[in-house]
Amino acid sequence: QVQLVESGGGVVQPGRSLRLSCVASGFIFSSYGMHWVRQAPGKGLEWVAVIWFDGTNKYHADSVKGRFTISRDNSKNTLYLQMNSLRPEDTAVYYCARDSAPYYYGSGTPDYWGQGTLVTVSS
Amino acid sequence: SSELTQDPTVSVALGQTVRITCQGDSLKSYYANWYQQKPGQAPVLVILGKNNRPSGIPDRFSASNSGKTASLTITGSQAEDEADYYCNSRDSSGYRLVFGGGTRLSVL
């Protein structure tokens, strides 16, 4: 069965960096695009970034562009989110999610989601 | 980018039919997808694209689209359907996604 396990969350001071990881299993990781989606406490879902199955393209939300970078290592079945210059408004649960369409040169929509990792940005 | 608008709260009597709507310019070009999220849990995809239910999603969930409005219909609402529901679609770039603000469904 599809499993996505995020890690790397924690408490970090404003302006600092953090790298999230997501280890995938139960499917051919290198065949699927992957997303990061976040949810601030008590708020709705916010899409953060997507990377195509082969890593050739990646797109980020305007709210994180220039500060966050999505990447992947298909040899390790692992998705990453490098978060720099963190702000208090980045506080959220960060979900890793698989795109619904394999071998898709584009951005589909997430189908399977991990359980999330909490990032708290506070001094 | 573009926005998707949802009613914050909707209620339905047990066993009745409810429609949850999502409005936005991007829906003229792209289908909405729908997610269910219960407290403390990750979202679950309930409708993909035009009107496709992933495996395990009951057939009481269906979707429709008209112009800039997408709708999720639950026919014969059950107590376990009480949850937050989110729509999403691609934004005007075609490569980024956008989520609606979510609708909290209460089953009375």
Side-chain angles (χ1 to χ4, degrees), chain A residues 35 37 39 43-47 50 52 59-60 65 95 100 104 107-111 113-115, chain B residues 1 33 35 37 40-45 48-49 84 86 88 90 94-101:
Chain A
H35 300 260
V37 179
Q39 186 169 35
K43 302 297 184 181
L45 300 173
E46 180 186 13
W47 178 82
V50 64
W52 290 8
Y59 299 91
H60 300 80
K65 196 180 301 183
Y95 293 102
S100 59
Y104 182 52
S107 300
T109 199
D111 55 2
W113 299 59
Q115 286 304 304
Chain B
S1 62
N33 309 287
Y35 296 86
Q37 187 181 32
Q41 297 183 19
V44 173
L45 180 66
L48 173 66
D84 293 330
Y86 295 91
N88 83 343
R90 299 182 201 179
Y95 292 110
R96 297 176 181 82
L97 300 184
V98 59
F99 281 91

Side-chain angles (χ1 to χ4, degrees), chain B residues 33-57:
Chain B
N33 309 287
W34 291 92
Y35 296 86
Q36 176 193 72
Q37 187 181 32
K38 297 181 179 180
Q41 297 183 19
V44 173
L45 180 66
V46 295
I47 294 289
L48 173 66
K50 187 176 181 180
N51 189 21
N52 301 297
R53 282 178 289 105
S55 174
I57 302 302

Side-chain angles (χ1 to χ4, degrees), chain A residues 6-10 12 16-23 36 67-73 76 78-84 86 94 117-119:
Chain A
E6 303 95 336
S7 63
V12 60
R16 304 297 291 263
S17 299
L18 207 60
R19 188 177 81 158
L20 305 183
S21 300
C22 169
V23 176
W36 286 101
R67 300 188 300 123
F68 291 11
T69 302
I70 189 172
S71 62
R72 66 190 296 159
D73 186 338
K76 296 182 178 179
T78 302
L79 177 73
Y80 303 100
L81 185 67
Q82 178 66 43
M83 304 186 295
N84 299 331
L86 281 160
Y94 284 75
T117 186
L118 176 62
V119 173

